[in-house]
Amino acid sequence: MENAAREIWNNCLMTIQNNISEQSFHTWIKPIKALKIHGSVLTIQVPSEFFKKWLQDNYYAILLAALRAILGNEASYQFEIVASEEFDRLEIPEQLPTKISSKTIKPNYIVEDAIDDDTHPINDRYTFENYVEGSSNQFAKAAAIAVAESPGKTSFNPLVIYGGVGLGKTHLIQAIGNFSVEKGIAKNVMYVSSERFTMNFINSIQRNKTTEFSELYRNVDLLLVDDIQFFSNKERTQEEFFHTFNTLHQNGKQIVLSSDRPPKDITGIEERLLSRFQWGLVADIQPPDLETRIAILQKKAELSEVELDKDVVQLIAYNVTSNIRELEGALVKLLAHASLRSRDINLLLAKEVLKDVISQKQRNITIDDILKIVANYYHIPEDFLKAKTRKKEVALARQIAMYMSKQHTKHSLKTIGLHFGGRDHSTVIHAINSIEENMKQDKVLSNDLGEINKKINLSSI
Ligand code: ADP
Ligand code: MG
């Protein structure tokens, strides 16, 4: 029971970590211990009444959501207070860090602006090795490696990496830091989110420590600032960052920034700063394609030391398309269920556990989905299926796609014809008849149909 509780909690941690700041995570979440699981009630141990109250007031929704994502909507927590010596020694910091001193920068060690020396928000799994490459992120990754190998010495200064939420920005910029620290290339490396930078700056004003603040950030070899879009409308912070930027840049130090959109589209940022963001290289990360999603899942499975069937990987990869964090979330959830219920990880379990993730598509498998799947299967550009081409492979693929559209959607022959470059309904009838006729003798065709069917079914579960 204890093991199961720990297992569930570990899985919750991954979700929680993605939803709160690193500092809060270290202060409020890390000290929690999972004790037991009874039904869907997870008992967690916290070090004081105060701690419990703080959790309930501030993080309960996040904690609950993480647990419910794994155990369903009935799940809840029970608290057990066990005063721990360890905790007695732990100072509860104010929400804003109070101490800003250069002491927090340790050579060969990445720190944000750590409250105590052991807490730092760098994830050592965020390495280039663990960063799966695909066409969606190849360029950004190559640029990141170049910068990590010679910080400040390429023309990519600053390097700005932008992309949507959960697509790997933080992973990639931390990989730069991890790499150059590990290889001893850069001595003082600092990772900070723009929000943290802002908080610390405000704090330093309140405490008359702006000089220390400036020194802290201007004395690094490599500065990684995550999510710069949050500098928006913070004028004084922008001013401070402007000077930090200039000092570092002039001294040949490397600056790496991430943003959720291209710098030029960030509003509420001063022009002089925006233009600096574009001095070096701006590289984007796009949502991963299917192959990359599959490769990422395999990588994550490998890191968690589990083996996954190909069809399970495909099921997830086909259905979770929005971003990599959700892709990972789906996998975590599956692993948690399997281990909790001591079940094998197979397609059946995956479909059951992930039904809410994958059911969204059930209603809306479209002719366009089918076009995509068939085109992909035959490595034909999708447009060809709609075009006039009469080339044999294209014509066959087109007929298959029409046939599948009739099988898998409720659309009329007329509508189906329209989706295929405005063809007549009689053409669709002809296609369906021809496929039905041929699949009886043609083994290759019938095999292809089976495979395509599978893909369509998977994408519509
Ligand atoms: P962002 O900062 O863009 O919101 P993150 O860097 O936090 O995204 O990535 C979300 C999750 O997805 C992280 O756990 C990260 O390790 C993982 N991830 C993102 N891109 C990749 C990739 N190319 N290969 C492996 N894991 C990735
Ligand atoms: Mg991020």
Side-chain angles (χ1 to χ4, degrees):
M1 241 27 220
E2 271 176 35
N3 271 344
R6 226 172 301 138
E7 188 89 31
I8 298 171
W9 180 241
N10 282 341
N11 284 306
C12 288
L13 287 179
M14 293 182 65
T15 321
I16 296 170
Q17 195 162 18
N18 278 331
N19 286 297
I20 68 177
S21 78
E22 272 94 6
Q23 185 194 330
S24 309
F25 184 80
H26 282 279
T27 312
W28 299 109
I29 308 296
K30 269 239 164 134
I32 300 174
K33 287 201 184 92
L35 296 178
K36 55 176 189 267
I37 175 92
H38 189 76
S40 53
V41 178
L42 181 67
T43 305
I44 53 177
Q45 175 185 322
V46 295
S48 70
E49 184 63 43
F50 171 80
F51 195 104
K52 172 182 162 186
K53 183 159 184 327
W54 187 275
L55 274 183
Q56 283 175 327
D57 291 349
N58 295 285
Y59 304 113
Y60 200 62
I62 295 170
L63 257 61
L64 207 55
L67 188 64
R68 291 187 170 170
I70 300 169
L71 298 180
N73 278 338
E74 305 290 290
S76 62
Y77 290 95
Q78 189 170 345
F79 289 88
E80 207 171 293
I81 299 166
V82 177
S84 91
E85 261 181 48
E86 209 179 315
F87 188 73
D88 286 343
R89 282 187 277 114
L90 186 73
E91 248 177 74
I92 298 173
E94 294 174 40
Q95 275 305 79
L96 296 179
T98 54
K99 198 170 56 186
I100 298 167
S101 73
S102 50
K103 164 179 165 285
T104 48
I105 293 194
K106 288 192 272 175
N108 296 324
Y109 194 64
I110 306 183
V111 289
E112 184 168 312
D113 174 29
I115 299 265
D116 75 44
D117 288 348
D118 297 328
T119 61
H120 65 110
I122 293 294
N123 188 330
D124 54 16
R125 281 191 160 194
Y126 286 176
T127 60
F128 290 130
E129 255 162 42
N130 292 344
Y131 196 79
V132 174
E133 186 174 315
S135 54
S136 52
N137 60 28
Q138 218 160 30
F139 182 62
K141 185 179 178 186
I145 293 176
V147 160
E149 284 173 342
S150 341
K153 298 200 178 63
T154 67
S155 55
F156 310 158
N157 203 10
L159 171 62
V160 182
I161 291 178
Y162 77 88
V165 63
L167 294 183
K169 301 181 296 293
T170 299
H171 184 140
L172 198 53
I173 74 171
Q174 290 201 0
I176 297 176
N178 286 330
F179 181 91
S180 41
V181 167
E182 193 194 307
K183 303 270 182 234
I185 296 169
K187 226 169 157 198
N188 290 334
V189 177
M190 186 183 273
Y191 167 88
V192 69
S193 68
S194 67
E195 291 155 297
R196 177 62 71 86
F197 185 94
T198 305
M199 274 196 335
N200 288 354
F201 178 58
I202 294 170
N203 203 241
S204 75
I205 297 175
Q206 288 165 349
R207 284 161 205 279
N208 279 326
K209 299 239 175 175
T210 49
T211 319
E212 283 92 331
F213 178 88
S214 301
E215 267 174 26
L216 178 69
Y217 287 93
R218 292 178 202 177
N219 279 318
V220 298
D221 305 317
L222 170 55
L223 178 63
L224 311 161
V225 186
D226 213 350
D227 290 319
I228 53 166
Q229 71 274 8
F230 295 124
F231 278 142
S232 177
N233 299 324
K234 312 227 166 62
E235 282 159 33
R236 281 199 71 182
T237 311
Q238 284 179 34
E239 159 107 33
E240 172 65 24
F241 188 67
F242 176 76
H243 294 299
T244 305
F245 186 103
N246 288 343
T247 307
L248 292 176
H249 201 273
Q250 274 157 20
N251 294 334
K253 308 298 186 186
Q254 180 71 44
I255 301 153
V256 178
L257 311 169
S258 87
S259 162
D260 69 349
R261 67 202 83 168
K264 64 175 172 37
D265 295 350
I266 310 177
T267 54
I269 292 211
E270 274 181 79
E271 197 45 50
R272 56 178 189 173
L273 202 49
L274 272 192
S275 79
R276 274 165 177 72
F277 291 163
Q278 296 169 81
W279 272 359
L281 181 74
V282 178
D284 67 327
I285 304 182
Q286 292 294 324
D289 56 18
L290 179 66
E291 282 74 21
T292 313
R293 294 201 299 277
I294 290 176
I296 289 172
L297 284 169
Q298 283 164 340
K299 184 82 193 176
K300 300 284 168 191
E302 182 193 314
L303 289 173
S304 311
E305 295 175 2
V306 288
E307 275 185 35
L308 285 184
D309 285 349
K310 210 167 135 207
D311 48 0
V312 172
V313 171
Q314 283 184 354
L315 174 81
I316 305 175
Y318 270 114
N319 286 286
V320 184
T321 53
S322 50
N323 71 50
I324 298 167
R325 193 171 297 152
E326 298 207 342
L327 198 64
E328 239 176 65
L331 180 62
V332 163
K333 189 169 165 185
L334 177 60
L335 300 185
H337 272 263
S339 97
L340 268 179
R341 303 198 243 149
S342 309
R343 299 243 323 246
D344 284 343
I345 305 172
N346 54 30
L347 198 55
L348 196 70
L349 181 72
K351 283 183 187 170
E352 188 189 315
V353 170
L354 302 176
K355 61 180 180 303
D356 49 328
V357 189
I358 49 196
S359 67
Q360 293 152 359
K361 282 206 175 171
Q362 196 162 29
R363 275 155 273 123
N364 55 10
I365 172 103
T366 62
I367 298 176
D368 285 336
D369 293 335
I370 294 173
L371 270 163
K372 218 175 247 140
I373 291 169
V374 174
N376 231 326
Y377 184 81
Y378 287 109
H379 305 291
I380 296 172
E382 226 176 298
D383 294 351
F384 282 21
L385 299 181
K386 298 180 184 172
K388 295 260 178 286
T389 325
R390 285 172 182 277
K391 261 176 83 180
K392 211 169 136 209
E393 321 81 91
V394 178
L396 177 65
R398 187 183 297 129
Q399 287 191 331
I400 291 175
M402 287 178 174
Y403 168 81
M404 290 294 175
S405 298
K406 188 64 205 159
Q407 301 273 318
H408 289 275
T409 73
K410 292 197 162 53
H411 291 299
S412 67
L413 297 170
K414 189 169 166 215
T415 310
I416 295 175
L418 283 176
H419 273 82
F420 288 82
R423 287 180 159 80
D424 194 74
H425 80 277
S426 63
T427 312
V428 183
I429 297 183
H430 173 72
I432 295 171
N433 289 341
S434 150
I435 295 296
E436 281 178 346
E437 196 50 43
N438 289 334
M439 68 188 193
K440 290 180 197 148
Q441 315 99 14
D442 188 338
K443 278 229 173 89
V444 177
L445 175 63
S446 100
N447 177 55
D448 282 0
L449 289 173
E451 288 298 310
I452 292 168
N453 231 335
K454 238 193 255 168
K455 290 187 194 297
I456 294 174
N457 282 331
L458 276 175
S459 78
S460 67
I461 297 160

